[in-house]
Amino acid sequence: ETGVTQSPTHLIKTRGQQVTLRCSSQSGHNTVSWYQQALGQGPQFIFQYYREEENGRGNFPPRFSGLQFPNYSSELNVNALELDDSALYLCASSSGSHSPLHFGNGTRLTVT
Amino acid sequence: GNSVTQMEGPVTLSEEAFLTINCTYTATGYPSLFWYVQYPGEGLQLLLKATKADDKGSNKGFEATYRKETTSFHLEKGSVQVSDSAVYFCALSVGARSNDYKLSFGAGTTVTVRA
């Protein structure tokens, strides 16, 4: 059983640029969530996708956007990068309500 | 709003010592409570959970009891091993899809167990 995989593992971008992070969900999972984890803090919910539609959103500005594809993989896009966007971005998948989240190892984004 | 406050680390223990990590919460509604663990170089993993008051979650020798009267969900293990060294996160979610939706995490507690 393949777990949740994220790419790339590390990324360095310049302020004002755009970035796309990718996530392949675990086999059989139709729900994907994205979290931002700043250094020394707990993860913060960005949004969740269920069957290709956004299913809930945390307190993040519109420049954070996402997609989910028919194979349930997902992308997180961040426009107009700011220094504070530097963080570990975590993707998690599940097979729906009342099932546990399975997290990937994350993408470490550094904005300079 | 929903928030979780957990004991600040780092915590350093000797093998076979007793571990407690305190966690208290504030929630609008009736939350489900979770403990997640992040081992070095790995992703977050669900350690245990409880979905209603007085429920006890348990796994790998760890236990936590959902205490509604004190809004707490403290994590305990009676005898830790070096392999328990990790970062531990307390979390909650509220709502009809509470088991996997919009988790609110604490800041995490780093635990190091020395042989």
Side-chain angles (χ1 to χ4, degrees):
Chain A
E1 182 180 80
T2 305
V4 178
T5 57
Q6 295 186 240
S7 63
T9 54
H10 295 85
L11 198 54
I12 299 174
K13 288 286 189 177
T14 302
R15 189 171 48 184
Q17 286 187 315
Q18 178 267 344
V19 69
T20 297
L21 310 182
R22 294 178 174 83
C23 172
S24 293
S25 58
Q26 186 162 318
S27 177
H29 288 184
N30 56 18
T31 303
V32 172
S33 303
W34 286 92
Y35 287 80
Q36 180 196 66
Q37 186 178 10
L39 196 62
Q41 298 182 23
Q44 285 197 299
F45 176 77
I46 302 175
F47 42 55
Q48 183 183 76
Y49 279 83
Y50 172 68
R51 293 187 176 180
E52 302 178 58
E53 291 196 2
E54 189 178 288
N55 193 34
R57 190 178 183 92
N59 190 25
F60 280 80
R63 60 189 184 83
F64 285 77
S65 62
L67 283 173
Q68 188 181 29
F69 300 99
N71 66 354
Y72 303 132
S73 65
S74 178
E75 288 182 354
L76 165 66
N77 299 292
V78 187
N79 293 323
L81 283 166
E82 301 176 359
L83 296 179
D84 285 349
D85 295 334
S86 295
L88 181 68
Y89 288 86
L90 298 169
C91 172
S93 71
S94 71
S95 56
S97 296
H98 308 294
S99 64
L101 289 178
H102 294 254
F103 281 86
N105 287 357
T107 294
R108 173 72 64 188
L109 172 65
T110 302
V111 182
T112 62
Chain B
N2 301 324
S3 66
V4 174
T5 302
Q6 64 181 101
M7 189 172 87
E8 288 187 20
V11 174
T12 302
L13 302 164
S14 297
E15 220 168 12
E16 299 183 5
F18 184 86
L19 170 67
T20 298
I21 304 176
N22 289 341
C23 171
T24 57
Y25 68 87
T26 302
T28 54
Y30 201 168
S32 292
L33 302 173
F34 307 82
W35 277 100
Y36 278 81
V37 59
Q38 188 171 35
Y39 298 105
E42 298 184 17
L44 283 166
Q45 302 173 26
L46 178 64
L47 181 59
L48 52 85
K49 69 176 184 180
T51 57
K52 61 183 187 294
D54 300 325
D55 266 2
K56 178 185 283 188
S58 61
N59 186 26
K60 299 183 180 180
F62 289 89
E63 293 183 340
T65 301
Y66 188 142
R67 300 289 188 198
K68 188 179 178 186
E69 63 277 11
T70 55
T71 61
S72 65
F73 192 55
H74 305 321
L75 182 68
E76 297 181 337
K77 186 173 184 180
S79 176
V80 294
Q81 305 300 313
V82 172
S83 58
D84 293 324
S85 298
V87 183
Y88 293 82
F89 293 91
C90 186
L92 67 81
S93 68
V94 179
R97 296 163 295 175
S98 60
N99 278 26
D100 75 332
Y101 179 66
K102 198 174 179 180
L103 288 167
S104 296
F105 286 88
T109 302
T110 301
V111 173
T112 302
V113 180
R114 294 184 173 166

